Amino acid sequence: MKVSSALLAYALCVPAAHAASHVFLVQNSGWMEPFYTDPRSPYKALVTEVVQAAMAPDDALVLAAFNQSLPGAPSPRALLAQQGKPDRTRLRNVLNPLEVARKPNSTALADTDLGEAVGAAIDTALGGKPGLVWLFTNNRNSPNNDQATARRNREFYQLIHGGKAIGKALAFPLKMPVQGAQYRAGGLMVYVFAVQPQGVRELDALLASGRLRQVITEPPARLKPLDQDTVRLVPARVENTPGVRYAVLPDGRLRAELDAAAPAPGDARITWRIENAIYPYTISAAHIDAQAALAGHVKPVRLEPDHVRDLAPGKPQTLASSLGLPVANLPGKWSLAALRSAGSAQVLPGRIEVRLADQQLELSQAFRQRMAELFPGDPLPDIFTPPESLQAARATLPVEVRLQYGAGPLMALIGGAFALLGATGALALAATRGRKVVVTVDGEQRTVRTKAGARTPLFNAAGDQVAELHTTLFGHTLANVREGANVRLGR
């Protein structure tokens, strides 16, 4: 793959910092002629506004024009690279002079290679680091439909669906009627490819912020992944069961409140709405099974029915389920977690995992009609054909489990601690308190002062040691009594 030397040089300006990195690829090949020559074309203005919406102030960008690389005419060709979001004036100054490209030493309009452009953005501009690659195109790979077009289309398809670098890919088909001297067009496609997991997180954060919706109001068509979060479960009706109370939170999550002192809760009947979350595809058929996971333990969820048919975007189906929470591994009432949460609730993260097997996807008719309206006469791009290998998918619904612990175990533990402390204090007092002991040596009574742990020698009238008095917490004993000596405890 030939890459512009300018793009290679500018790639060094994209830092590996906490800020996001963006590469904006603006197509200027022959099929794009009306987008450049129609005086009413909003093409360059759209690029400007998407850059403004997509970038945060500290993000980095490379803005490049692309067509198809030829000797003497490298592609992509960098137009701007900098750290920090450029203002609109600078973007206009860079984009306004951009014209439709022609082949070297020829009046023929330049061809296009979408895969070449995206590959250069990932490998060179981003340098293999995370980031977002934006592609502005009319979806046509060559104005003359040369024999290599089909091959380049397959390479582009493989790069998006089969390549490991791209973790998420979205497409925004936009209405943009333009008329040029040679061609006319009715629409434009804006793609965004998230590179590596960090890039996926950056794209998700951007979509959640709503900034992009201020410029592009069309819903994004998901190209990848098609095996994750393909459906969304929304609780519609919940019937409580003894020992557990259910509620649906405003964000659609399910909350379950359990009393730790109650017996194991029974199964609850929950009615769900299952929604298609992979516009523009219809799930024509799939087998569904689910399980609830909590505290490292899982339990099957019985679904009725256990399959979906013709689940189109925006048209949910109803599922009934029998849900029992897996409570075998929950902390007991005497556990440290329970004692810390005494009198309040301990929040445990749980989830319901949904798996779709034998999944069959097809483009929705509404999307096909829209593509035909925007790109009349053009075949549907292969990139919208789901890979045959994607026959399974999964989705996750977070569940918040609140485990309510009473204060009884903690109060009992506190009471036991005080009792133990009192007993320890009593033992300490007994150990340090002085004692008086009466002993008789050779018929003479004596009072000896001692304390627990002491060994006190006893002498006769002649000054000879005749015995030893040992004192403990529990009493006194005589030891080492000299043979023939008359020594005893008491009078």
Side-chain angles (χ1 to χ4, degrees):
M1 178 184 295
K2 298 178 181 179
V3 180
S4 165
S5 59
L7 181 59
L8 181 60
Y10 280 133
L12 301 177
C13 299
V14 180
H18 66 279
S21 298
H22 301 258
V23 182
F24 297 93
L25 298 171
V26 183
Q27 184 177 344
N28 70 333
S29 57
W31 278 126
M32 298 296 292
E33 179 262 343
F35 294 94
Y36 287 88
T37 58
D38 189 333
R40 296 173 298 178
S41 170
Y43 179 55
K44 294 177 181 179
L46 173 70
V47 175
T48 298
E49 293 306 315
V50 170
V51 172
Q52 288 289 308
M55 293 188 65
D58 295 332
D59 289 352
L61 97 157
V62 170
L63 175 64
F66 79 95
N67 39 78
Q68 184 186 17
S69 182
L70 291 174
S75 175
R77 178 172 61 88
L79 306 174
L80 175 66
Q82 70 175 54
Q83 177 73 39
K85 181 168 70 173
D87 58 29
R88 288 179 173 85
T89 300
R90 184 165 193 186
L91 289 170
R92 293 189 188 108
N93 292 339
V94 169
L95 290 170
N96 284 344
L98 186 62
E99 297 178 345
V100 180
R102 298 183 183 274
K103 294 181 179 180
N105 304 317
S106 173
T107 59
L109 298 176
D111 292 337
T112 307
D113 193 330
L114 301 175
E116 176 187 60
V118 175
I122 295 173
D123 298 334
T124 306
L126 290 176
K129 297 182 176 66
L132 301 181
V133 177
W134 302 80
L135 183 70
F136 299 84
T137 176
N138 70 335
N139 263 338
R140 292 188 177 184
N141 235 0
S142 171
N144 295 321
N145 293 321
D146 62 28
Q147 295 181 357
T149 298
R151 174 181 55 80
R152 290 200 295 269
N153 281 337
R154 288 193 301 270
E155 290 174 352
F156 182 51
Y157 175 93
Q158 180 61 28
L159 176 65
I160 305 308
H161 285 294
K164 295 182 179 180
I166 295 176
K168 189 168 188 174
L170 303 177
F172 298 87
L174 306 178
K175 186 175 183 179
M176 189 176 290
V178 287
Q179 175 66 60
Q182 300 188 45
Y183 305 111
R184 69 165 52 192
L188 181 78
M189 189 73 76
V190 179
Y191 294 98
V192 57
F193 307 112
V195 179
Q196 298 187 13
Q198 177 61 28
V200 175
R201 290 189 288 270
E202 291 167 358
L203 178 55
D204 289 342
L206 171 61
L207 296 174
S209 72
R211 298 198 310 265
L212 196 59
R213 283 198 303 271
Q214 298 175 7
V215 179
I216 302 178
T217 57
E218 294 292 330
R222 194 200 299 191
L223 303 175
K224 185 181 182 180
L226 298 179
D227 59 352
Q228 299 175 25
D229 300 320
T230 56
V231 294
R232 182 184 303 111
L233 276 182
V234 179
R237 186 173 68 252
V238 181
E239 299 176 8
N240 291 329
T241 187
V244 60
R245 297 177 299 278
Y246 289 95
V248 180
L249 301 180
D251 60 2
R253 288 183 299 132
L254 188 65
R255 172 188 286 173
E257 296 187 4
L258 286 76
D259 186 349
D267 292 354
R269 296 289 298 175
I270 300 180
T271 302
W272 309 85
R273 290 196 316 273
I274 183 168
E275 299 176 352
N276 182 332
I278 50 169
Y279 173 82
Y281 299 96
T282 292
I283 303 176
S284 56
H287 177 81
I288 306 178
D289 65 81
Q291 63 181 17
L294 180 63
H297 186 61
V298 297
K299 187 175 182 179
V301 178
R302 293 189 296 276
L303 299 175
E304 301 172 6
D306 61 357
H307 60 273
V308 293
R309 294 284 185 272
D310 299 324
L311 185 62
K315 296 183 178 179
Q317 293 185 13
T318 300
L319 287 178
S321 72
S322 178
L323 172 64
L325 293 175
V327 297
N329 293 345
L330 292 183
K333 63 181 181 180
W334 292 104
S335 67
L336 181 60
L339 295 174
R340 287 176 174 174
S341 305
S344 61
Q346 182 187 7
V347 179
L348 301 174
R351 64 190 183 277
I352 295 177
E353 300 172 347
V354 182
R355 294 185 297 270
L356 279 71
D358 302 323
Q359 176 183 249
Q360 300 176 26
L361 301 179
E362 61 181 29
L363 276 174
S364 67
Q365 289 302 314
F367 185 76
R368 289 181 179 273
Q369 293 171 4
R370 175 154 181 79
M371 292 293 288
E373 174 191 350
L374 298 181
F375 307 98
D378 291 353
L380 195 67
D382 289 340
I383 195 172
F384 287 102
T385 302
E388 295 181 358
S389 60
L390 294 180
Q391 297 183 357
R394 59 182 177 82
T396 301
L397 172 69
V399 178
E400 179 183 292
V401 178
R402 299 173 65 87
L403 197 58
Q404 188 74 38
Y405 292 99
L410 179 62
M411 297 305 296
L413 186 64
I414 293 175
F418 275 114
L420 180 61
L421 184 62
T424 303
L427 289 174
L429 179 63
T432 57
R433 185 184 61 186
R435 302 183 182 187
K436 296 180 180 180
V437 183
V438 176
V439 296
T440 301
V441 180
D442 295 334
E444 178 185 355
Q445 293 183 11
R446 303 177 185 176
T447 300
V448 179
R449 296 183 178 276
T450 184
K451 61 181 179 179
R455 295 170 177 264
T456 307
L458 301 177
F459 301 92
N460 59 16
D464 299 322
Q465 180 175 334
V466 293
E468 193 173 58
L469 176 65
H470 290 184
T471 303
T472 67
L473 286 173
F474 308 103
H476 314 278
T477 59
L478 293 174
N480 302 324
V481 179
R482 185 175 178 179
E483 185 178 356
N486 183 13
V487 182
R488 68 177 183 274
L489 292 173
R491 295 179 173 82

